[in-house]
Amino acid sequence: MKVVIKIGTSTLTHATGQLNIRRIELLVKVMSDLKNAGHSLVLVSSGAIGMGVGKLSLGARPADMPTKQAAAAVGQCELMYIYDKLFPTIIMWWRRFCSLGMT
């Protein structure tokens, strides 16, 4: 069975905007169990701006486009770093996905 998992800002962070590592670790464990059970997984991860807001200690989601883009750039790097540390196969999939021009 193909399982699509959508992870967004409210799942990735605490109400303070800081990373919720415990929740992400739990999600990685659940996804690993699903994969080990023979399911095909598709991870859809948004939340780059939210992650960037927390990482940059902005305090609130930016309203202007340049600051949103900066927060997203920082947040995307943070997301990939976290996924790389907690679930190495995700980063390999992401690299293959990007090389196919599917982003």
Side-chain angles (χ1 to χ4, degrees):
M1 171 186 294
K2 183 176 276 192
V3 179
V4 178
I5 301 167
K6 165 68 166 65
I7 301 174
T9 304
S10 64
T11 303
L12 296 169
T13 61
H14 292 286
T16 62
Q18 297 299 310
L19 184 64
N20 189 335
I21 295 171
R22 189 173 308 213
R23 184 175 289 159
I24 295 171
E25 286 177 337
L26 177 62
L27 288 166
V28 168
K29 288 176 183 177
V30 169
M31 290 187 303
S32 294
D33 285 344
L34 289 169
K35 182 75 173 162
N36 290 341
H39 299 288
S40 174
L41 301 180
V42 175
L43 174 62
V44 178
S45 179
S46 61
I49 293 175
M51 291 290 292
V53 167
K55 186 74 173 174
L56 296 170
S57 300
L58 296 179
R61 186 179 174 93
D64 64 296
M65 187 56 69
T67 309
K68 282 183 185 178
Q69 290 171 328
V74 170
Q76 186 64 36
C77 293
E78 181 74 2
L79 280 172
M80 295 316 303
Y81 175 78
I82 295 299
Y83 289 145
D84 185 37
K85 293 298 177 194
L86 296 178
F87 199 14
T89 57
I90 288 177
I91 199 74
M92 289 183 287
W93 170 85
W94 178 254
R95 288 181 181 141
R96 190 180 83 222
F97 184 77
C98 289
S99 71
L100 295 173
M102 303 177 97
T103 58

